[in-house]
Amino acid sequence: MSFSPELLKGQKALVTGGSSGIGEAIARALAAAGASVAVNYHSGDQEAQKIVEDIKAGGAEAIAIGADVSKEDEVKAMFGQMLKEFGTIDILVNNAGLQKDSAFTDMTLDHWNLVIGVNLTGQFLCAREAAKEFMRRGVQPHISAAAGKIICMSSVHEVIPWAGHVNYAASKGGINMMMRSIAQELAPQRIRVNSIAPGAIKTPINTSAWNTPEAEAKLLKLIPYGRIGVVEDIAKTAVWLASDDSDYVCGETMFVDGGMTLYPGFATGG
Ligand code: BGC
């Protein structure tokens, strides 16, 4: 991935769940595009520190901040630290998310609450704190045409039902309406809120879906474009959505999925 370091110059970004997978790639890409980056982590303390060191070695500013995004006090403390160290925030990437899969009738309330708590409530809590700072500060035309940008990490499962993953699919379906409603409410303040809906991307969350030849062959049947996604596919989209190149994009979900939402099962049937 190569970006002009002028693209996001002077902008301050926070990436939740930035210590691995898609979040890590986005944190590195935003820094390469010139942003200062706060890498939020929950359990990946050392991984986050390593990413911060790499970013600094590349000449950009970075810090690591530990917080469980489903906890209001921890989110407030994280934004407190972000504002203290970076002065403000221009870009929030609401990326932290997890899966706790089971057959529906075996799904525990704890696993339901955990997934909704991190994937949906966590995005609400972080978006609210970011929006308050965007509104306080307003547009700084020499930094960005917008007062702030929020990018919500959704999934193809905001539209594709997913048996065995009801909590996860419900959280992503919720993100669709949450994102669009926030976008509608905040657009007049020049705040842009959008989602990225990745398909199958090779990350730790779905290793079992691609790490054997049999699993990979089965997964590829769901992807018309014929390859499994890589984290850079998503990071490039995130940089674009964070930049003024997408300044007129507001309340949209970008499906980055190799055509998974084209329902390939219907290519020869139906
Ligand atoms: C899930 C992955 C899955 C992909 C496509 C993602 O949102 O986290 O586990 O491979 O959707 O089904």
Side-chain angles (χ1 to χ4, degrees), residues 99 155-157 162 168 198-200 205-206 209 260:
Q99 287 181 218
S155 163
V156 289
H157 298 295
W162 206 14
Y168 183 85
I205 208 173
N206 62 0
M260 192 175 245

Side-chain angles (χ1 to χ4, degrees), residues 145-146 190 192 194 240-241 243-252:
R190 298 299 290 266
R192 295 194 298 115
N194 294 288
W240 183 72
L241 278 178
S243 78
D244 283 355
D245 287 350
S246 62
D247 189 52
Y248 210 48
V249 181
C250 222
E252 273 305 318

Side-chain angles (χ1 to χ4, degrees), residues 1 18 44 51 53 56 80 94 123 135 144 157 174 179 186 245 269:
M1 280 185 296
I51 295 161
E53 292 316 316
K56 285 181 172 166
N94 245 340
Q123 292 209 15
M135 287 161 80
S144 173
H157 298 295
M179 179 279 290
L186 300 185
D245 287 350

Side-chain angles (χ1 to χ4, degrees), residues 131-143:
K132 283 194 248 178
E133 171 61 11
F134 297 159
M135 287 161 80
R136 183 201 65 75
R137 197 206 52 235
V139 179
Q140 294 175 292
H142 62 292
I143 298 285

